[in-house]
Amino acid sequence: MRRKIIAGNWKMYKSPAETREFGEELKQLYKTPPKDYEICIFPTYLCIDSLVESWKGLEGFHVGAQNCHWANMGAYTGEISAAMLVDVQADHVLIGHSERRQYQKETHQELQAKVMAALGFDLQVVYCCGEMLDDRQADKHFDVVTRQLDEVLGKLHPRALPNLIVAYEPVWAIGTGVTATPAQAQEMHAFIRRHLKKILGSKAERTPILYGGSVKQNNALSLFSMGDIDGALIGGASLQAGDFWAIAQAMSQALS
Ligand code: 13P
């Protein structure tokens, strides 16, 4: 069976104090750590340490960063390297989120270099892809996602696969309250899985593919019940421990 992952991308929300509060609340909600899926929260760089501290020693609870630089160190004002993330005990990193592609104009060359840097430090890379509304309306969504996979993951060595997670996040579903239907998400996840196997070999069958875009408590179970959806990357609904936990419970239910 593939790994299942419930992840939260906090974007530019929460202070260190609020992060600690969330960390403690989530611990309270879990009497024992989940056995059949992993949890990962991606807070701002400033809050990684607070969450790592709060969850120290808890199996299955991970902390990640929302970005990293492609260089290990250097004269790059305002940047953070993969090496530094490892130093503060983050073990995951998001690469290629659509908000960074849009606002920071990240190019596929940069994304490719970031993926390589993160893998070089043995981080788990959550590579984000997904089409814009116009692409879907023009029936180009498969082409767009194919290009995003080829340009950034096309040259990866298959031995990197155990460190790779893909998140499919259709841009039209992010923060809009409009979720992809389970059938739409399943169709794209199955497509991504076939394509990953084409470019990275048969072991890509085991690569977790998460869905992101307005995942909430009321739609999580129907998404997680689909065969190729291995979890979620949750934005808004990951900010409250209770909401996040409720979505994670839907994963337990889907697996039972
Ligand atoms: P929402 O869950 O708020 O739509 O955000 C999704 C997202 O961008 C996660 O990376």
Side-chain angles (χ1 to χ4, degrees):
M1 203 180 69
R2 278 187 294 272
R3 293 156 60 200
K4 306 293 178 195
I5 301 159
I6 303 296
N9 172 11
W10 282 0
K11 310 189 179 186
M12 204 169 69
Y13 292 100
K14 284 198 193 292
S15 65
E18 289 165 339
T19 300
R20 272 190 291 277
E21 203 176 306
F22 176 101
E24 295 308 306
E25 266 177 52
L26 199 70
K27 270 202 299 204
Q28 296 295 316
L29 288 166
Y30 279 101
K31 303 288 175 274
T32 54
K35 285 197 194 61
D36 38 10
Y37 60 90
E38 298 159 37
I39 282 171
C40 187
I41 293 285
F42 296 86
T44 65
Y45 291 132
L46 278 181
C47 297
I48 289 175
D49 198 40
S50 309
L51 211 50
V52 165
E53 194 56 38
S54 166
W55 289 353
K56 207 178 232 161
L58 283 183
E59 200 148 329
F61 283 56
H62 300 274
V63 183
Q66 298 170 18
N67 175 39
C68 71
H69 196 263
W70 43 265
N72 292 349
M73 61 178 79
Y76 300 104
T77 302
E79 297 289 346
I80 302 274
S81 72
M84 291 165 180
L85 296 181
V86 172
D87 224 46
V88 292
Q89 294 171 49
D91 50 17
H92 287 55
V93 64
L94 296 180
I95 307 277
H97 192 280
S98 60
E99 285 152 15
R100 295 199 55 86
R101 292 182 195 255
Q102 185 181 350
Y103 303 125
Q104 269 68 41
K105 306 277 179 272
E106 290 188 330
T107 64
H108 72 263
Q109 288 92 343
E110 278 174 283
L111 297 178
Q112 193 189 30
K114 287 176 182 214
V115 168
M116 295 315 289
L119 290 173
F121 283 90
D122 206 23
L123 289 164
Q124 291 280 315
V125 169
V126 180
Y127 177 63
C128 305
C129 59
E131 80 283 359
M132 317 267 281
L133 184 59
D134 287 355
D135 303 323
R136 185 162 277 263
Q137 284 171 340
D139 210 20
K140 294 210 168 86
H141 42 301
F142 294 116
D143 298 342
V144 168
V145 170
T146 299
R147 201 172 58 239
Q148 291 171 336
L149 295 173
D150 286 348
E151 285 177 344
V152 175
L153 306 180
K155 293 198 187 107
L156 272 194
H157 193 283
R159 78 171 163 253
L161 277 170
N163 283 57
L164 180 69
I165 298 162
V166 171
Y168 169 58
E169 301 203 300
V171 179
W172 47 271
I174 296 179
T176 58
V178 181
T179 319
T181 64
Q184 282 173 322
Q186 166 60 28
E187 183 187 36
M188 182 58 91
H189 282 225
F191 175 83
I192 292 172
R193 194 175 307 292
R194 279 197 302 278
H195 195 71
L196 285 178
K197 286 199 275 190
K198 213 185 291 174
I199 59 177
L200 296 171
S202 60
K203 290 207 174 102
E205 175 68 26
R206 299 183 63 77
T207 300
I209 306 177
L210 316 182
Y211 169 79
S214 298
V215 176
K216 311 279 176 214
Q217 192 179 342
N218 62 7
N219 56 32
L221 180 59
S222 58
L223 289 161
F224 299 158
S225 304
M226 302 313 251
D228 287 289
I229 301 184
D230 304 311
L233 182 55
I234 309 154
S238 71
L239 292 169
Q240 302 298 329
D243 295 345
F244 182 76
W245 185 76
I247 293 173
Q249 294 313 292
M251 177 54 86
S252 288
Q253 215 179 323
L255 292 172
S256 64

